[in-house]
């Protein structure tokens, strides 16, 4: 079996508020163009020190619950040693240790395999950087 590697970089504007951005439809569109019905792996990577990726349910409050939990775990106050940027910005640099900057997902028959309620989401708590990139890579 011949394996192919395809990659694409997405430019996403997240704004200045904490946000969970659902990337599922974009990932599926990428696979329709690139997977050609093959099995393989989709890697999603955020090349930023202050953002991460999560696979979770969206639209039923779980995305807001995640942001609320992150606010409790990583408050935007002056406790952080990393102090450049807006007040509390040091917490944004700790985020990727809890919400990793990557996810590798199965692709079967050219389609992303997720659970019924799962979505692929960009998690961004850093209001100092409203522009993000996400790299999609398919190996199959």
């Amino acid at each position: 079996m011949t394996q192919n590697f395809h990659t694409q970089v997405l430019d996403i504007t997240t704004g200045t508020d904490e946000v969970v951005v659902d990337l599922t439809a974009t990932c599926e569109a990428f696979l329709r163009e690139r997977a050609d019905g093959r099995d393989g792996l989709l890697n999603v990577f955020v090349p930023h020190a202050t953002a991460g990726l999560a696979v979770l349910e969206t639209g039923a409050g779980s995305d807001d619950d995640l942001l609320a939990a992150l606010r409790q775990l990583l408050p935007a106050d002056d406790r952080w040693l990393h102090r450049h940027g807006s007040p509390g910005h040091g917490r944004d640099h700790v985020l990727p240790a809890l919400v990793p900057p990557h996810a590798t997902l199965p692709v079967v028959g050219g389609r992303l395999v997720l659970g019924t309620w799962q979505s692929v989401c960009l998690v961004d708590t850093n209001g100092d950087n409203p522009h993000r990139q996400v790299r999609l890579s398919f190996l199959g």
Side-chain angles (χ1 to χ4, degrees):
M1 176 174 133
T2 302
Q3 294 203 341
N4 292 300
F5 180 80
H6 300 280
T7 190
Q8 175 181 339
V9 175
L10 309 173
D11 291 308
I12 298 174
T13 300
T14 56
T16 57
D17 295 325
E18 300 172 333
V19 67
V20 174
V21 178
D22 191 338
L23 303 174
T24 310
T26 304
C27 291
E28 291 170 340
F30 170 74
L31 290 170
R32 278 192 301 277
E33 288 180 17
R34 301 298 186 177
D36 196 29
R38 292 187 306 271
D39 295 350
L41 296 170
L42 174 67
N43 182 265
V44 186
F45 178 71
V46 180
H48 298 282
T50 58
L53 291 161
V55 178
L56 76 156
E57 179 180 6
T58 59
S62 296
D63 38 352
D64 292 329
D65 289 341
L66 173 60
L67 292 174
L70 290 171
R71 274 186 228 107
Q72 286 185 338
L73 289 169
L74 305 171
D77 59 22
D78 65 357
R79 73 183 70 201
W80 307 103
L81 298 177
H82 187 106
R83 293 189 183 264
H84 79 82
S86 61
H89 174 65
R91 69 151 186 167
D92 300 321
H93 286 273
V94 176
L95 174 78
L98 302 174
V99 182
H102 56 86
T104 301
L105 306 163
V107 176
V108 176
R111 298 187 60 162
L112 189 58
V113 179
L114 293 172
T116 302
W117 304 112
Q118 289 180 316
S119 297
V120 181
C121 299
L122 170 66
V123 180
D124 189 0
T125 59
N126 180 6
D128 290 348
N129 185 356
H131 303 288
R132 299 298 184 163
Q133 288 188 331
V134 176
R135 179 175 295 277
L136 305 179
S137 300
F138 174 71
L139 177 63

